[in-house]
Amino acid sequence: MPDVPLDVVERLRAICLALPEAYEENAWTGVRWCVRKRTFAHVLTIDETGPDAYARFIATEGEVTVVTFRAPGDELEAFVQAGPPYFVARWGRDVVGLELRDDTDWDELAELLTDSFCVLAPHKLVARVQLPGSPPGPA
């Protein structure tokens, strides 16, 4: 499998590690970010030899970098309707993928990854989350 571009990992790292008690580790391929041993974001680069579980959702040929994350149940249908560059994975009830492209909206992606963290994190950690674009809460 091709390596994930370092600039992509660094951008995702900045978003994910800003969340309380989030940590990073190497995944079976690519890099993932977890909270309490649960993966809330995973980035990998695939090509035509990559796993069918990803490749069948991606229309682009050649190398493609994909980030997967969790979505609250009420948002899944929106991702189904959105279509590319989004896809709803079939290996988890709430896993969504996004093909990272030159026109990816990184502010929106930060919100999606924060939501993903909130889906999996304990309530006491979610209460400490600063949502992207919202004013800071009381100290």
Side-chain angles (χ1 to χ4, degrees):
M1 292 264 204
D3 288 333
V4 177
L6 184 57
D7 63 317
V8 171
V9 172
E10 289 174 348
R11 287 183 88 169
L12 292 169
R13 179 179 290 138
I15 295 165
C16 294
L17 294 183
L19 297 164
E21 297 186 25
Y23 62 94
E24 176 180 313
E25 61 185 26
N26 290 325
W28 56 276
T29 183
V31 179
R32 67 181 174 189
W33 291 270
C34 304
V35 59
R36 305 272 171 100
K37 299 183 181 183
R38 300 179 78 193
T39 302
F40 69 90
H42 178 203
V43 66
L44 70 155
T45 298
I46 60 171
D47 59 19
E48 50 280 341
T49 66
D52 284 343
Y54 288 86
R56 71 173 161 248
F57 296 110
I58 305 300
T60 310
E61 293 187 22
E63 282 189 8
V64 177
T65 300
V66 174
V67 62
T68 60
F69 53 91
R70 306 293 177 134
D74 57 339
E75 292 184 15
L76 283 174
E77 186 58 32
F79 289 112
V80 170
Q81 298 302 319
Y86 293 98
F87 62 91
V88 176
R90 300 293 181 238
W91 58 85
R93 71 181 193 290
D94 59 356
V95 179
V96 175
L98 169 63
E99 179 184 345
L100 297 177
R101 300 175 175 176
D102 291 338
D103 64 347
T104 295
D105 182 339
W106 283 86
D107 291 332
E108 178 182 8
L109 181 54
E111 290 178 27
L112 294 171
L113 296 179
T114 301
D115 288 346
S116 179
F117 174 89
C118 291
V119 167
L120 296 177
H123 293 295
K124 78 176 196 175
L125 294 181
V126 172
R128 295 174 37 200
V129 170
Q130 172 69 38
L131 297 175
S134 66

